Amino acid sequence: MATAEEALIKKSADIYRSILHDGTDNTTQWRHGAPPTFDSVNQLFEEGRTKEWPKGSLEEVVQNAIKSWDMEISHKIRLQDFKTINPDKFKLIVNGRKGLSGEEILELGSYNALLKSSLPKEFQCYKADEETFESSHDAFLSALPRSHGKC
């Protein structure tokens, strides 16, 4: 018979982010004190998806890797707790800009890292340089409230 903790993990197991509960030890430091839940986000994804990739296909692996990386960059506070990247070698390069290390992304926030622009300020709709990790997440959570659920 499963313990209450095992039943909770099984119930909240995330089919897109298996690393969320896969061998998670108690040393992982979470931004909000505990692992996030993506139940409502996953439901919206299922309701709106137009293609379901075959199990084990490259497309499914990439889809789940991106969802897992996004979860880690938004919810973990130490790079050493990441399972989706090699912290010593990882660089995020967007549109030919200078690569950012994992530590730089953790400091800036994923939205700021992805939307950073070299355009003159007067042409920037979103000014990543003026946002913090927290303010950028607040802006996107309020702009897209259904897409984030409890995460």
Side-chain angles (χ1 to χ4, degrees), residues 10-37:
K10 182 175 174 134
K11 179 181 178 226
S12 65
D14 192 297
I15 62 173
Y16 305 111
R17 300 164 194 84
S18 62
I19 64 167
L20 191 57
H21 297 290
D22 182 30
T24 300
D25 57 28
N26 292 330
T27 63
T28 299
Q29 291 185 9
W30 298 96
R31 187 170 301 282
H32 303 289
T37 58

Side-chain angles (χ1 to χ4, degrees), residues 44-136:
L44 284 170
F45 178 72
E46 286 297 326
E47 291 169 359
R49 76 188 311 176
T50 58
K51 176 76 173 163
E52 187 168 349
W53 307 116
K55 295 282 182 211
S57 67
L58 179 59
E59 294 89 348
E60 183 193 45
V61 169
V62 170
Q63 167 190 276
N64 295 347
I66 296 299
K67 287 177 176 289
S68 296
W69 177 79
D70 179 62
M71 175 274 300
E72 288 188 311
I73 206 73
S74 296
H75 296 281
K76 291 182 177 180
I77 59 175
R78 297 184 313 181
L79 208 54
Q80 70 197 50
D81 293 331
F82 280 50
K83 296 179 181 179
T84 57
I85 63 168
N86 177 337
D88 298 326
K89 297 183 184 248
F90 179 81
K91 288 279 184 199
L92 176 69
I93 301 171
V94 179
N95 294 333
R97 292 192 324 251
K98 176 185 167 269
L100 298 172
S101 70
E103 289 293 345
E104 290 172 310
I105 296 168
L106 278 177
E107 184 179 326
L108 290 171
S110 57
Y111 298 125
N112 292 333
L114 291 167
L115 296 173
K116 197 173 173 77
S117 176
S118 59
L119 286 172
K121 288 273 189 203
E122 65 267 19
F123 297 118
Q124 293 179 18
C125 294
Y126 179 82
K127 295 174 175 60
D129 294 339
E130 297 176 11
E131 301 293 337
T132 65
F133 181 102
E134 291 78 15
S135 70
S136 68

